[in-house]
């Protein structure tokens, strides 16, 4: 229609030319508005398809948007994201299969790979966090089981190592604190037994100063330890007696 307007203009029929130009402009504006509607619709449909993990349809709709506006950033990034989502979905399927077989470590690795491939994939993020928490519970339970078994067997070093691991996995858990108190009690009793033996050996050797040192160490562990209180008093009396003779 613009060519018709040009012809009127050349013939100095300005009113007719103006009318044709106005009609052409209106038509152009309507086409541009229609173009914007189609572009917005294609982008929206692509986003919905991507949210539903419909990768094929998402790519198709974003490509449709690019045919309308080839350099539109949302259309370009949408195609990239949709193709990444397809690979991420493959990892999600591997993760679900591993989880169904009870292999939580393999499931977590697959879910984390899915997140790495598509950082915006909410389902992958959720699955990764959930399985990570499940693994934490599993490992904490195993560590506490080892700790309690070691305590029952009097294996204090092994119990301590297991409790350290449990504390790292679940800091401040009451079960860990209770087991630590039990371990501390066992260590204290072991220390008292060792010092009692040392003191007894020093008494037999009439090494009263050595006996006094052992008894005092025992009292620092347990100020109410009867053998240490009694033994210390007798050893100190012996030292005083020897000092009198000297």
């Amino acid at each position: 229609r613009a060519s018709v307007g040009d012809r009127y203009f050349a013939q100095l029929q300005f009113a007719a030319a103006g009318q044709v130009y106005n009609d052409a402009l209106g038509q152009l504006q309507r086409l541009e508005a229609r173009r914007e509607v189609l572009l917005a619709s294609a982008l929206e449909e692509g986003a919905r398809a991507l949210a539903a993990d419909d990768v094929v349809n998402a790519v198709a709709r974003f490509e449709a948007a690019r045919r309308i506006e080839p350099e539109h950033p949302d259309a370009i990034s949408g195609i990239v994201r949709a193709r990444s989502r397809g690979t991420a979905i493959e990892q999600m399927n591997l993760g679900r299969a591993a989880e169904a077989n009870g292999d939580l470590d393999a499931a977590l690795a697959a879910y984390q790979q899915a997140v790495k491939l598509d950082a915006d994939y909410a389902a992958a993020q959720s699955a990764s966090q959930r399985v990570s928490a499940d693994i934490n519970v599993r490992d904490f339970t195993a560590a506490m089981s080892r700790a309690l078994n070691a305590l029952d067997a009097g294996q204090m070093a092994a119990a301590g190592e297991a409790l350290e691991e449990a504390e790292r996995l679940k800091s401040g858990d009451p079960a860990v604190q209770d087991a630590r108190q039990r371990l501390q009690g066992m260590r204290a009793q072991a220390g008292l037994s060792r010092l009692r033996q040392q003191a007894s050996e020093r008494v037999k050797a009439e090494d009263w100063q050595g006996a006094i040192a052992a008894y005092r160490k025992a009292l620092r562990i347990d100020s109410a330890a009867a053998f240490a209180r009694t033994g210390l008093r007798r050893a100190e009396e012996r030292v005083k007696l020897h000092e009198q003779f000297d």
Side-chain angles (χ1 to χ4, degrees):
R1 294 187 61 88
S3 62
V4 175
D6 291 342
R7 192 162 54 249
Y8 280 134
F9 190 85
Q11 295 172 0
L12 303 181
Q13 299 181 32
F14 301 124
Q19 182 61 48
V20 171
Y21 287 144
N22 285 334
D23 290 346
L25 179 61
Q27 185 177 7
L28 181 62
Q29 289 174 337
R30 287 191 294 275
L31 288 173
E32 180 62 21
R34 176 62 176 167
R35 173 184 173 279
E36 292 298 325
V37 169
L38 292 173
L39 176 62
S41 177
L43 291 172
E44 183 180 351
E45 290 170 359
R48 283 203 302 267
L50 185 59
D53 292 344
D54 185 353
V55 173
V56 173
N57 194 36
V59 171
R61 299 316 299 151
F62 286 128
E63 286 180 341
R66 285 202 70 188
R67 286 194 293 272
I68 298 171
E69 187 172 327
E71 300 303 319
H72 195 289
D74 290 346
I76 294 172
S77 64
I79 292 171
V80 173
R81 288 170 53 210
R83 289 173 177 164
S84 296
R85 179 65 54 85
T87 309
I89 288 173
E90 293 176 2
Q91 290 296 319
M92 285 291 289
N93 290 335
L94 291 175
R96 293 187 183 106
E99 192 174 358
N101 290 329
D103 191 346
L104 295 182
D105 296 295
L108 178 61
Y111 293 145
Q112 289 177 335
Q113 182 63 21
V115 173
K116 185 177 180 180
L117 290 166
D118 187 351
D120 296 325
Y121 196 4
Q125 294 172 353
S126 176
S128 178
Q129 293 169 359
R130 174 177 52 76
V131 173
S132 180
D134 289 344
I135 289 175
N136 185 276
V137 171
R138 179 200 67 187
D139 291 349
F140 174 78
T141 301
M144 284 302 300
S145 179
R146 291 197 305 273
L148 295 175
N149 288 337
L151 287 172
D152 290 341
Q155 299 170 350
M156 291 181 287
E161 292 176 359
L163 287 174
E164 287 293 336
E165 180 180 350
E167 179 67 21
R168 286 194 300 271
L169 293 167
K170 202 171 182 181
S171 179
D173 188 86
V176 177
Q177 296 175 355
D178 291 344
R180 280 193 182 281
Q181 290 179 355
R182 183 179 169 188
L183 178 59
Q184 289 172 357
M186 290 177 64
R187 286 172 172 167
Q189 287 301 316
L192 288 174
S193 296
R194 184 173 62 255
L195 289 168
R196 186 170 191 169
Q197 181 63 31
Q198 290 177 5
S200 178
E201 292 173 355
R202 293 302 88 206
V203 168
K204 289 179 181 179
E206 296 188 359
D207 177 6
W208 305 113
Q209 291 294 350
I212 288 172
Y215 288 136
R216 285 176 176 171
K217 287 180 181 179
L219 289 171
R220 283 197 292 271
I221 295 175
D222 183 0
S223 61
F227 82 90
R229 292 169 68 89
T230 301
L232 178 61
R233 184 175 65 254
R234 291 175 178 172
E236 288 176 340
E237 290 173 353
R238 288 285 185 168
V239 169
K240 290 179 181 179
L241 183 61
H242 279 283
E243 287 175 348
Q244 290 175 1
F245 281 111
D246 292 343

